[in-house]
Amino acid sequence: MGQKNVRYAVVGTGWFAQEAILPAFQNATEHSKLAAIVSGDPVKQKEVGERYGVPAYGYEQYGDLLESGSIDAVYIALPNAMHKEYTLRAAKHKIHVLTEKPMAANAAECREMVAACSDAGVKLMVAYRLHFESGNLTAIDHIKSGKIGEPRLFSSVFTQEIQEGNTRLDADLAGSPLMDIGIYCINAARYLFQDDPIEVTGFAASSGETKFREVPEMVTAVLRFPKDRLASFTCGFGEARVSEYRVVGTAGDLRMQTGYTFRGAIQMHLTDEKGETRTTEFGERDQVGPEIEYFSECVLRNREPEPNGLEGLADLIIIDAINEACATGRAVKLPPFAQKPRPSLRQEYKMPKVSAPGLVNAASPGG
């Protein structure tokens, strides 16, 4: 490809698209350009399109956009159950795909997406923003270099209050705490242990509130990794906002406060074998611009993205197994995972934080 920029259409204009994705294009300028938006809301089409100076398309016009020759890639920011359809349609028209996580509603859909993009010769990447974030990449590096000895235990809590009516509470759209935020805990355990689990078990619970009539309020899971290491986490949609994880090794431990956030600072507390703790703060930076620029570089240089379709598939295999464990009350063994590179400090990007303009017909999940 002889071009210098990858032209993107952002598909979906909900809260996260308006809060983080669209503003990130002011940082992602070297190899990326916002060229269009797609929305099912006429008000958003007009106001958001005008705000960013790009044409706006309705969902029924998605095919016309793919055929227009005006874009090279889509950034899919739709509800989880819609990722597969919009990926397959893009691949059919030789359009590269960057999709939000979770990659799809289940592992079977992920496999279809991987196959379609491979057959079409287009790049497929899942938007794991923490694979480019300084704090989490530094945590990976510290553990790999032996600063806490051999990592043995991972534990995490990721909870927040979700308002009634939010799509994350809609089972038909593949919403649930496990899909929306539990996936961060699963992915973190995998990149911190530099391995994939071999068995999982899980429990789901709800308080009885009517908003949890389709999805559980909370899920707790335990993942067994090779070398008899354990990872446990709890994710929930009915609790105070908590976002943290801890890795305990044979000679120390590493704890991340607000470890999964994209707003505000991330704090790392590293305790060595002498019991001395050093705290490092990673100030707020744009985490979405790096994803976009990295993917553009992969497209332009014909390079396979690290968080590719196999990365997204791995997390959905695990999520499907946790759901099975919750339903049956039995531990579920996992098949071997495809081998692929893992995130490292080589993927670190440092872009200044961005401020989002006012939301148009959208609201934060917590209200």
Side-chain angles (χ1 to χ4, degrees):
M1 184 179 289
Q3 68 191 73
K4 295 181 179 180
N5 288 301
V6 174
R7 301 165 297 170
Y8 286 83
V10 172
V11 185
T13 53
W15 166 74
F16 191 72
Q18 292 189 46
E19 182 73 16
I21 298 172
L22 291 167
F25 279 93
Q26 64 188 274
N27 280 330
T29 57
E30 186 172 358
H31 300 296
S32 314
K33 180 181 179 181
L34 179 64
I37 62 167
V38 180
S39 175
D41 183 334
V43 175
K44 291 181 182 177
Q45 290 171 23
K46 180 178 187 301
E47 295 189 19
V48 178
E50 289 179 354
R51 175 179 289 168
Y52 289 95
V54 296
Y57 293 77
Y59 291 141
E60 74 283 358
Q61 299 171 305
Y62 184 57
D64 296 334
L65 171 62
L66 296 174
E67 294 174 352
S68 69
S70 63
I71 62 167
D72 309 298
V74 290
Y75 189 143
I76 297 174
L78 296 166
N80 304 331
M82 300 172 70
H83 292 184
K84 185 189 85 167
E85 176 192 347
Y86 281 77
T87 294
L88 298 189
R89 292 175 66 186
K92 184 177 180 182
H93 289 85
K94 307 295 184 182
I95 301 296
H96 302 281
V97 177
L98 171 58
T99 182
E100 267 302 323
K101 62 198 165 307
M103 181 176 162
N106 52 56
E109 291 190 356
C110 292
R111 293 186 179 97
E112 289 185 62
M113 294 161 69
V114 170
C117 290
S118 176
D119 291 345
V122 298
K123 302 299 180 190
L124 171 62
M125 177 172 140
V126 185
Y128 287 100
R129 54 184 170 77
L130 298 181
H131 286 215
F132 308 93
E133 188 275 319
S134 298
N136 280 269
L137 294 177
T138 301
I140 293 170
D141 190 65
H142 284 342
I143 293 170
K144 285 175 67 177
S145 64
K147 295 226 170 122
I148 64 169
E150 181 189 351
R152 299 295 298 154
L153 303 173
F154 168 93
S155 61
S156 182
V157 175
F158 196 2
T159 55
Q160 63 183 102
E161 186 79 36
I162 299 294
Q163 296 298 307
E164 174 83 56
N166 190 273
T167 58
R168 290 159 181 80
L169 299 171
D170 189 330
D172 289 338
L173 295 177
S176 79
L178 186 57
M179 293 285 277
D180 188 61
I181 55 180
I183 192 170
Y184 285 90
C185 309
I186 293 167
N187 200 255
R190 292 177 54 237
Y191 61 64
L192 292 164
F193 278 162
Q194 296 280 289
D195 214 337
D196 297 306
I198 57 177
E199 185 178 21
V200 303
T201 190
F203 298 91
S206 293
S207 63
E209 287 186 74
T210 56
K211 67 180 179 181
F212 298 122
R213 58 190 171 273
E214 295 185 21
V215 304
E217 175 196 342
M218 66 181 85
V219 174
T220 292
V222 179
L223 288 60
R224 183 189 299 277
F225 280 76
K227 302 178 186 177
D228 261 358
R229 293 168 293 175
L230 295 177
S232 61
F233 70 88
T234 297
C235 57
F237 275 168
E239 299 78 36
R241 185 179 295 274
V242 176
S243 166
E244 62 185 24
Y245 65 75
R246 188 172 198 162
V247 184
V248 181
T250 54
D253 71 271
L254 183 149
R255 182 165 57 91
M256 298 288 277
Q257 284 185 291
T258 59
Y260 305 120
T261 190
F262 74 96
R263 285 281 183 255
I266 294 174
Q267 280 195 337
M268 174 193 294
H269 306 281
L270 181 65
T271 303
D272 62 23
E273 59 185 355
K274 297 178 182 178
E276 297 177 352
T277 300
R278 177 165 53 95
T279 298
T280 305
E281 183 166 291
F282 299 87
E284 180 181 337
R285 293 196 181 106
D286 176 12
Q287 295 180 12
V288 178
E291 293 177 329
I292 297 169
E293 272 297 287
Y294 173 85
F295 186 58
S296 295
E297 291 171 16
C298 290
V299 169
L300 295 172
R301 298 172 185 172
N302 192 26
R303 188 175 67 200
E304 181 69 7
E306 176 272 312
N308 59 12
L310 294 178
E311 181 74 1
L313 170 60
D315 282 342
L316 264 298
I317 290 172
I318 296 165
I319 287 173
D320 286 353
I322 293 171
N323 283 329
E324 180 182 343
C326 290
T328 64
R330 296 191 297 269
V332 178
K333 293 189 181 299
L334 297 170
F337 289 80
Q339 295 300 302
K340 60 172 293 295
R342 300 195 186 268
S344 71
L345 274 170
R346 292 190 301 272
Q347 290 177 195
E348 181 183 25
Y349 282 72
K350 294 181 179 179
M351 292 184 177
K353 67 180 181 180
V354 293
S355 297
L359 297 174
V360 178
N361 282 359
S364 165

